[in-house]
Every structure is written in C-alpha cells, then in structure tokens.
C-alpha cells in the first residue's frame, strides 16, 4: 500500500521584506526625537521609569536589633537571667543570639538600645540588664522598636 505524499506545499511565496515591515510595525525601533519637536508636541509625556528603585541595604546594627527582637518574639522574653531554661532571653541575651559574636554591630546595637531606653525611661539606667529587669514586656518592646527605627533612619 503506498502513501499519498504531496510534494507541493500549497504555500504562497511571501516577500521577506514584507515580514521585515510587519515586525517593524509590531516592534518599532525607538527613534530619537529632537528636543524642539518634543516641545511642540501635544501634552508633555509622563516619564516611565523602567528601572527598579535602588534596593536599600539593611545596616548591621538595624539587622542585629531586628533579629534580636524576632528572637524575643519567637523564644520569649525573660527578666533576671540571660537565658531562661525554656529558651527565653533577656534583651542582652537576645542581642548576643542575634549578633553571634560580640562584634561592632553587637556593641553599637546595645549602645543604641540603651540610649533609647534612657530616653524613654530615664537617664538612671546604666546597663541593658538593669533596665530590662525593671520594666514590663510592653515597655521593653517599645524601646526595641524605637531603636530599630533609629538604626533604620541612621542607615546603620
């Protein structure tokens, strides 16, 4: 049994220049417009920004403070001890957990946190643990959040 094989395609020949013109209509190449011609054109065009806005990098201090507060939210907040048996920590313990080591970000975050604590609760606080142990969770959280905002605005 033989198969009927058509050799003729039945397609009409298309001029390649016609394809080129069709693609040009679909995706016209941008043509520079002279400033004078643009000024005389209809209403001023709205500029379109294709580039994404620059990504703002989080500073080491802001990251340390944010990570420490997240740690407190996750594991719990404690008074009178660095680490509670169930895993909760005081403010300084959370800072240590977030920083990993006592690096510059740890020290700067601690100084900013203590400064914010003194602004909100009085200049008598000499250390984060003494302040932490003398205030409620809501008061402590308010200081953490304010310190994070300051670090963000200071871009540190």
């Amino acid at each position: 049994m033989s198969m009927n094989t058509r050799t003729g395609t039945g397609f009409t020949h298309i001029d390649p220049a016609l394809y080129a013109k069709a693609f040009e209509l679909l995706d016209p190449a941008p043509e520079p417009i002279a400033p004078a011609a643009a000024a005389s054109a209809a209403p001023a065009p709205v500029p379109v920004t294709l580039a994404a806005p620059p990504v703002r990098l989080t500073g080491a201090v802001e990251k340390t403070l944010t990570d420490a507060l997240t740690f407190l939210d996750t594991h719990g907040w404690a008074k009178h001890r660095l680490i509670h048996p169930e895993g909760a920590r005081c403010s300084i313990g959370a800072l240590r957990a977030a920083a990993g080591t006592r690096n510059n970000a740890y020290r700067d975050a601690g100084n900013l946190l203590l400064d914010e604590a003194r602004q909100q609760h009085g200049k008598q606080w000499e250390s984060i643990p003494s302040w932490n142990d003398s205030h409620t969770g809501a008061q402590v959280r308010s200081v953490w959040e304010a310190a994070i905002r300051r670090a963000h605005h200071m871009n540190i």
Side-chain angles (χ1 to χ4, degrees), residues 2-4 30 32 41 46 57 70 85-86 93-94 98 101 126 130 135-137 143:
S2 71
M3 294 180 70
N4 291 341
V46 176
L57 299 177
T70 301
E86 278 98 54
T101 61
E126 298 294 323
S130 64
H135 292 85
T136 66
V143 168

Side-chain angles (χ1 to χ4, degrees), residues 6 11 28 30 34 49 57 62-63 69 76 84 87 90 92 96 98 101 112 118 123 130 137 139 148 154:
R6 261 180 88 182
F11 289 124
T49 305
L57 299 177
E62 181 186 350
K63 181 178 182 345
L69 184 56
H84 195 269
C90 71
I92 205 78
R96 288 183 188 170
T101 61
L112 188 60
R118 294 178 83 197
K123 300 288 183 208
S130 64
Q139 289 172 319
I148 290 167
M154 294 167 74

Side-chain angles (χ1 to χ4, degrees), residues 95-109:
L95 269 179
R96 288 183 188 170
T101 61
R102 294 184 191 189
N103 54 19
N104 288 341
Y106 165 80
R107 282 188 291 278
D108 292 346

Side-chain angles (χ1 to χ4, degrees), residues 57-81:
L57 299 177
T58 302
V61 173
E62 181 186 350
K63 181 178 182 345
T64 300
L65 289 166
T66 302
D67 290 352
L69 184 56
T70 301
F71 187 96
L72 291 175
D73 287 341
T74 306
H75 299 284
W77 169 73
K79 285 186 177 189
H80 308 296
R81 56 192 340 167

